[in-house]
């Protein structure tokens, strides 16, 4: 680990040790049945072993702790702690001792010393101790630079330094996927994989949304009035295992009403992950701002706002639609034309004027339909032409498909229509 050994004899000696928590001592139990040749010999040896647990000698984990035998691995998000000791090995009194510890990364150099003040003097066989801490936020090579300067009794100023290099590894592999819903909701799936060699206790995995969205976590269910995690009562993540977290983001009202805002690349937020490893050693990782490409709706967007769950066969039912002018500078003059199908019929006046629709504004429509055929039906909601100036743009035609399952359920001599789902909107 030491890169540059000292080239001359110094009165002071520098020692640097990493501070880590111990591990539980493990042993391999060796046992046999009483009818075997060794008899009870192996069991008696395990009972006499001080590292085993009384009454549970066959367990690998014991009651003793093991100190770290090597430098170990350092992972991103953990806190790097180190013990620095400067000892006076000579028989002289050393004056003006200054100990400085810097951490050099690929992008910056950080000062980790608790104090930059010099110690007035250091007597023989005495030492100066310091403990430094740093939350690791970069992956790759890190170099701990420890420099010591002092003055001898003869007034000579001495200086030396040591370099300690170590690698910072990635503890988690985070992958994200976005799913865009027709209701402007965004579903985020986060796949988190444990890349270390030891189990992790996932203390918190949350999504901090941007100012445009409100977030709802979908990682728990309600059972008997209590909120229960979908991962069970034990939130451990074994090495190389992957866990999926789901979140639903909905635009805030002030942003959802302005159709022109949520376009192109939008910032969703960032993930905040907190975990614990060996003996409660804590780690934290925050992703960069997650971005997604908002779906393109063209200049005009049609969305379904409300539809009843059940309606009577061959009886009118009502739906509510919303037309949004996604253009940033064009005012549209809208004309509504209704198109019947063999199974779905519109009730109302076709070809009527809807009025002007200004940029980034919306218009709600209450419409009435009835169905004459049972089963799964596809309905073309309506055609809408935009008249701008003296020209009629046929490319402003758009439609949305509505899937309705119509079942003839004889309940008190009535037939019912059951809505199954609403398909996504299409612009033509």
């Amino acid at each position: 680990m030491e890169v540059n050994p000292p080239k001359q004899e110094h009165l002071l000696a520098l020692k640097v040790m990493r501070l880590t928590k111990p591990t539980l001592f493990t042993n391999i139990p060796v046992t046999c049945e009483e009818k075997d040749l060794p008899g009870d010999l192996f069991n008696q040896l395990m009972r006499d072993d001080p590292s085993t647990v009384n009454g549970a000698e066959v367990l690998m984990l014991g009651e003793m702790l093991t100190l770290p035998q090597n430098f170990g691995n350092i992972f991103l998000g953990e806190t790097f702690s180190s013990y620095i000791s400067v000892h006076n090995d000579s028989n002289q009194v050393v004056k003006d001792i200054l100990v400085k510890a810097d951490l050099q990364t690929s992008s910056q150099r950080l000062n980790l010393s608790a104090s930059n003040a010099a110690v007035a003097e250091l007597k023989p066989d005495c030492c100066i101790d310091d403990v430094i801490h740093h939350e690791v936020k970069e992956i790759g090579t890190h170099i701990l630079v420890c420099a010591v300067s002092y003055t001898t009794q003869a007034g000579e100023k001495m200086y030396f330094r040591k370099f300690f290099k170590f690698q910072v590894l990635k503890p988690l592999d985070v992958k994200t996927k976005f799913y865009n819903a027709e209701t402007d909701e965004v579903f985020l799936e986060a796949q988190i994989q444990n890349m270390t060699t030891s189990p992790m206790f996932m203390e918190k995995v949350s999504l901090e949304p941007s100012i445009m969205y409100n977030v709802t976590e979908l990682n728990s269910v309600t059972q008997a009035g209590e909120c229960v995690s979908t991962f069970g009562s034990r939130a451990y993540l074994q090495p190389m295992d992957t866990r999926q977290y789901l979140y639903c983001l909905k635009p805030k009202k002030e942003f959802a009403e302005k159709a022109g805002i949520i376009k192109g690349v939008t910032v969703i937020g960032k993930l905040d992950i907190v975990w614990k490893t060996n003996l409660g050693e804590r780690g934290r990782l925050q992703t960069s701002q997650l971005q997604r490409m908002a779906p393109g709706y063209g200049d005009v967007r049609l969305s379904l706002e409300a539809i009843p769950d059940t309606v009577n066969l061959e009886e009118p039912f009502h739906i509510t639609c919303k037309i949004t002018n996604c253009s940033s500078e064009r005012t549209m003059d809208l004309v509504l034309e209704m198109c019947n199908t063999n199974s779905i019929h519109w009730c109302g006046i076709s070809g009527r004027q809807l009025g002007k629709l200004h940029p980034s504004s919306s218009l709600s429509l209450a419409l009435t339909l009835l169905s004459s055929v049972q089963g799964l039906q596809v309905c073309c909601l309506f055609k809408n032409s935009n008249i701008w100036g003296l020209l009629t743009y046929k490319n402003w035609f758009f439609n949305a498909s509505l899937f309705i399952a119509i079942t003839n359920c004889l309940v008190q001599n009535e037939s019912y229509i059951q809505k199954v789902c609403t398909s996504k909107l299409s612009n033509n």
Side-chain angles (χ1 to χ4, degrees):
M1 187 176 176
E2 186 176 327
V3 179
N4 289 357
K7 298 181 180 180
Q8 56 181 338
E9 292 292 333
H10 284 277
L11 304 179
L12 303 181
L14 172 65
K15 293 183 179 180
V16 178
M17 294 174 285
R18 183 192 174 192
L19 295 179
T20 57
K21 293 187 177 182
T23 58
L24 292 173
F25 179 79
T26 59
N27 54 12
I28 300 177
V30 179
T31 184
C32 64
E33 297 182 0
E34 294 183 358
K35 63 181 181 180
D36 291 338
L37 182 62
D40 194 46
L41 177 61
F42 291 155
N43 295 333
Q44 185 61 39
L45 290 176
M46 287 192 298
R47 286 192 292 267
D48 296 338
D49 190 344
S51 64
T52 59
V53 180
N54 294 331
E57 292 82 7
V58 295
L59 293 178
M60 293 185 62
L61 293 179
E63 296 180 330
M64 304 181 68
L65 298 177
T66 303
L67 295 177
Q69 303 298 313
N70 50 40
F71 188 79
N73 295 324
I74 300 179
F75 294 99
L76 182 69
E78 295 182 345
T79 299
F80 169 72
S81 300
S82 182
Y83 170 72
I84 300 176
S85 178
V86 177
H87 186 268
N88 188 354
D89 292 341
S90 68
N91 55 2
Q92 303 179 24
V93 177
V94 181
K95 298 181 180 180
D96 301 331
I97 305 97
L98 180 62
V99 182
K100 187 178 180 181
D102 294 338
L103 185 63
Q104 178 68 53
T105 67
S106 58
S107 61
Q108 58 183 338
R109 188 182 182 112
L110 304 171
N111 182 18
L112 304 183
S113 299
S115 175
N116 294 323
V119 179
E121 64 177 19
L122 185 63
K123 296 180 180 180
D125 292 331
C126 293
C127 61
I128 301 174
D129 300 326
D130 189 16
V131 177
I132 57 176
H133 304 280
H134 173 67
E135 184 179 351
V136 182
K137 299 181 180 180
E138 294 184 37
I139 296 178
T141 303
H142 288 58
I143 301 176
L144 180 63
V145 183
C146 298
V148 180
S149 61
Y150 61 95
T151 304
T152 64
Q153 285 184 338
E156 183 181 3
K157 293 184 177 181
M158 305 293 291
Y159 173 82
F160 69 94
R161 61 179 180 174
K162 291 185 177 181
F163 299 86
F164 304 91
K165 182 187 296 185
F166 59 91
Q167 293 289 333
V168 175
L169 307 177
K170 182 172 67 171
L172 299 171
D173 185 27
V174 181
K175 298 179 181 179
T176 57
K177 295 181 181 179
F178 291 104
Y179 303 92
N180 299 312
E182 282 303 315
T183 56
D184 286 333
E185 293 178 336
V186 181
F187 291 90
L188 169 64
E189 177 191 350
Q191 299 180 0
I192 300 178
Q193 184 179 17
N194 181 5
M195 305 297 293
T196 67
T197 57
S198 60
M200 282 184 177
F201 173 76
M202 306 305 294
E203 183 175 317
K204 184 183 73 169
V205 180
S206 62
L207 177 64
E208 298 179 0
S210 63
I211 59 174
M212 297 177 61
Y213 294 92
N214 293 320
V215 63
T216 302
E217 294 191 10
L218 304 178
N219 304 309
S220 60
V221 294
T222 303
Q223 295 181 354
E226 295 183 359
C227 189
V228 181
S229 173
T230 55
F231 308 112
S233 58
R234 298 181 180 179
Y236 290 98
L237 189 61
Q238 297 295 333
M240 305 309 297
D241 280 0
T242 302
R243 181 173 293 175
Q244 295 170 306
Y245 294 84
L246 186 62
Y247 304 91
C248 176
L249 297 105
K250 190 172 184 179
K252 295 181 180 179
K253 186 176 181 181
E254 57 268 26
F255 295 102
E257 292 177 350
K258 299 179 181 179
I261 294 181
I262 308 179
K263 283 186 177 181
V265 178
T266 58
V267 176
I268 296 297
K270 57 184 179 180
L271 288 170
D272 186 13
I273 307 171
V274 180
W275 69 91
K276 290 182 179 179
T277 54
N278 179 38
L279 293 180
E281 202 162 358
R282 191 185 183 94
R284 182 180 181 183
L285 182 64
Q286 281 190 335
T287 64
S288 57
Q289 290 289 347
L290 304 177
Q291 295 181 339
R292 65 116 187 185
M293 180 64 71
Y297 297 108
D299 287 343
V300 182
R301 180 187 179 189
L302 173 65
S303 59
L304 187 63
E305 295 294 302
I307 187 171
D309 290 334
T310 57
V311 296
N312 294 331
L313 184 64
E314 297 182 351
E315 289 187 8
F317 63 94
H318 304 282
I319 65 173
T320 302
C321 301
K322 184 172 75 170
I323 304 175
T324 303
N325 184 355
C326 299
S327 174
S328 59
E329 57 184 16
R330 179 176 297 175
T331 299
M332 297 182 178
D333 229 339
L334 302 179
V335 178
L336 176 63
E337 295 181 6
M338 300 176 179
C339 301
N340 293 330
T341 64
N342 294 331
S343 57
I344 303 295
H345 307 275
W346 295 91
C347 303
I349 301 175
S350 179
R352 63 188 175 96
Q353 296 280 344
L354 298 181
K356 294 184 178 181
L357 190 62
H358 297 283
S360 302
S361 59
S362 301
L363 174 65
S364 294
L365 291 176
L367 303 171
T368 305
L369 305 89
L370 64 84
S371 178
S372 58
V373 179
Q374 66 181 19
L376 185 64
Q377 306 295 332
V378 180
C379 170
C380 175
L381 287 185
F382 54 86
K383 298 178 181 179
N384 205 321
S385 299
N386 170 44
I387 303 176
W388 183 57
L390 299 177
L391 300 177
T392 301
Y393 290 85
K394 294 299 182 182
N395 61 325
W396 294 122
F397 164 83
F398 57 91
N399 62 74
S401 298
L402 174 66
F403 290 89
I404 300 178
I406 307 172
T407 58
N408 190 13
C409 302
L410 297 178
V411 181
Q412 295 180 355
N413 298 325
E414 292 185 356
S415 301
Y416 288 90
I417 300 176
Q418 176 67 44
K419 184 195 72 167
V420 175
C421 62
T422 303
S423 75
K424 67 180 181 178
L425 199 55
S426 61
N427 294 336
N428 295 324

